Amino acid sequence: MPDYQDILVTAPDSGVITITLNRPEARNALCNNLLREIAETLDSTINDDSIKAVVITGGEHVFAAGADIKEMAELDAVGVMNDIRPSYWRRIAQYPKPIIAAVNGFALGGGCELMMHCDIVIAGDNAQFGQPEINLGIIPGAGGTQRLLRTVGKSMAMQLVLSGEFINAEQARDFGLVSEITIPEMSYNRALKLAKNIARKPPLAVRLAKESLLKAYETTLETGLNLERKSFTLLAATEDRNEGIAAFMEKRRPDFRGK
Ligand code: DAK
């Protein structure tokens, strides 16, 4: 992995990489360079079959305090229109392998949106979530209004976006933003354990399952069910499906090859 300035990338276990946001002095604010480094890291692993899942964390104290407000202050409307950031967000959103977030402390604004780009979220019990953009005279710009409403429903999405108030980890779990809560010191370990578990599953099935689930955000039930059926059919033609069934019958561990 190349040396990065605003993130740390490590490969703690076979099949998994960890991206750690690394701007503690700015509460991990998502400056352009940090976002670019995330997008490039993800891109570099898409065709690397040895990498099967990604963990994103900000460490034990803060996930991310949102877009870098100091950078944002320099952009006028034309600057925002020509901004390259949406392309970084798109690359994160389109990443085909599972991303698991370990969130401690603040996940605000773009930080909350980054978290919502992840597929599974493990939160430390010190986590706080919010979309405080309204306090700056702006609105969420990386999908917050859309992903939030689809996840937590209208009333809570409106509450978060219009008031800028934060919610805690338990509320976030109750509203489906988070799947599990741990003590802050354990959120990364739990996320890594999940990633390692997923990394052992048949990669083609994992990929199509993620695609199928995400499609539910943006399509009718009918279209989503069609996609699910086609993906299901496609998987019937894979060696891994035969291996999975054979291993079950023979009472042994499957050896999935991604074929
Ligand atoms: N940007 C830049 N610097 C930040 C920052 C941020 N978002 N958040 C914190 N910092 C910096 C502070 O300026 C301070 O720097 P120094 O003064 O030491 O130089 C340092 O981090 C420590 O901050 P605090 O002293 O405030 O630390 P506390 O622990 O007391 O408070 C806090 C932590 C996170 C509650 C507080 O810092 C805070 O409220 N931060 C701002 C949170 C916020 O408003 N976030 C929303 C930002 S707007 C788009 C996509 C996305 C977006 C927009 C467009 N497009 C694709 C178009 C997203 C927008 C946003 O996220």
Side-chain angles (χ1 to χ4, degrees):
M1 291 286 170
D3 267 349
Y4 291 111
Q5 189 183 317
D6 294 319
I7 61 174
L8 300 170
V9 181
T10 50
D13 218 281
S14 82
V16 180
I17 62 159
T18 294
I19 298 175
T20 305
L21 314 183
N22 190 30
R23 295 187 74 210
E25 73 291 350
R27 303 294 184 266
N28 290 336
L30 307 172
C31 61
N32 277 359
N33 187 61
L34 188 153
L35 268 187
R36 180 182 62 77
E37 289 182 352
I38 295 178
E40 283 180 3
T41 302
L42 294 177
D43 283 353
S44 74
T45 67
I46 288 180
N47 295 318
D48 181 342
D49 292 341
S50 71
I51 296 174
K52 300 191 168 69
V54 176
V55 176
I56 295 186
T57 185
E60 280 183 23
H61 305 294
V62 63
F63 185 67
D68 190 308
I69 299 172
K70 293 162 191 169
E71 268 186 4
M72 232 168 41
E74 288 164 19
L75 293 183
D76 59 10
V78 176
V80 171
M81 203 178 283
N82 292 328
D83 199 355
I84 192 169
R85 297 167 60 91
S87 77
Y88 300 145
W89 285 108
R90 205 168 309 118
R91 284 153 69 186
I92 299 170
Q94 290 173 353
Y95 187 64
K97 302 179 189 187
I99 307 179
I100 298 153
V103 176
N104 293 315
F106 293 112
L108 305 179
C112 193
E113 289 169 309
L114 175 62
M115 180 199 88
M116 287 190 279
H117 278 67
C118 299
D119 302 306
I120 302 172
V121 180
I122 308 298
D125 58 19
N126 64 347
Q128 293 199 60
F129 307 83
Q131 298 287 163
E133 289 90 340
I134 200 81
N135 299 325
L136 303 170
I138 57 173
I139 65 172
T145 60
Q146 303 304 299
R147 289 198 178 85
L148 206 52
L149 190 133
R150 283 165 166 78
T151 307
V152 305
K154 179 181 163 192
S155 184
M156 182 51 87
M158 287 283 183
Q159 184 174 320
L160 287 166
V161 172
L162 301 186
S163 77
E165 288 180 6
F166 304 162
I167 57 173
N168 63 26
E170 266 185 34
Q171 290 168 296
R173 185 182 52 194
D174 291 348
F175 278 90
L177 272 177
V178 157
S179 58
E180 282 181 29
I181 300 176
T182 65
I183 55 170
E185 299 76 23
M186 287 305 294
S187 64
Y188 172 68
N189 286 346
R190 176 60 184 137
L192 183 61
K193 192 170 173 205
L194 256 177
K196 281 157 61 176
N197 180 3
I198 293 169
R200 287 192 294 270
K201 305 297 179 197
L204 296 169
V206 168
R207 182 177 178 151
L208 292 180
K210 170 169 171 166
E211 185 187 345
S212 217
L213 284 158
L214 287 181
K215 203 42 109 183
Y217 265 147
E218 61 192 55
T219 192
T220 62
L221 180 61
E222 177 89 19
T223 308
L225 290 173
N226 274 336
L227 175 73
E228 184 189 89
R229 166 68 34 198
K230 287 197 171 112
S231 297
F232 191 91
T233 307
L234 191 61
L235 289 168
T238 63
E239 289 177 19
D240 280 350
R241 185 260 204 178
N242 294 341
E243 167 64 7
I245 292 176
F248 174 79
M249 304 285 199
E250 293 158 19
K251 300 187 187 300
R252 60 172 172 83
R253 284 172 81 96
D255 176 17
F256 294 123
R257 304 273 171 96
K259 292 182 180 162

